[in-house]
Amino acid sequence: MIIQDETQLTAAVLAETERAGDPRVKEITQTLVRHLHGFVREVRLTEKEFDAVIAIAAKAVSRTGADCAAAV
């Protein structure tokens, strides 16, 4: 499928969540996708800004993961 606009992109991502085996995981994932895609549209996030946010999130997750592993 060729995606021509952001509405089609959201629909395509939501369609992928149909594969989730657990109904609750599916519900959570679909809600997260709708909220995040809505946020990106609302703030008109650029690719450069997206990349910066992802880098920050990845750094935070790696630090949190290390802390969690040390606690176990």
Side-chain angles (χ1 to χ4, degrees):
M1 166 162 85
I2 296 174
I3 297 170
Q4 299 186 7
D5 63 31
E6 65 268 1
T7 305
Q8 288 181 341
L9 175 62
T10 301
V13 174
L14 289 171
E16 288 298 313
T17 66
E18 293 297 328
R19 299 179 190 193
D22 183 326
R24 179 69 176 149
V25 170
K26 178 179 161 184
E27 176 186 9
I28 292 167
T29 304
Q30 289 179 341
T31 301
L32 180 62
V33 166
R34 283 192 298 273
H35 282 276
L36 288 176
H37 282 220
F39 170 78
V40 167
R41 284 191 291 273
E42 181 181 337
V43 300
R44 298 184 317 275
L45 193 67
T46 66
E47 276 190 59
K48 185 176 179 180
E49 292 165 336
F50 175 81
D51 290 343
V53 169
I54 292 300
I56 291 167
K59 197 172 192 178
V61 167
S62 70
R63 286 183 179 166
T64 303
D67 291 344
C68 290
V72 176

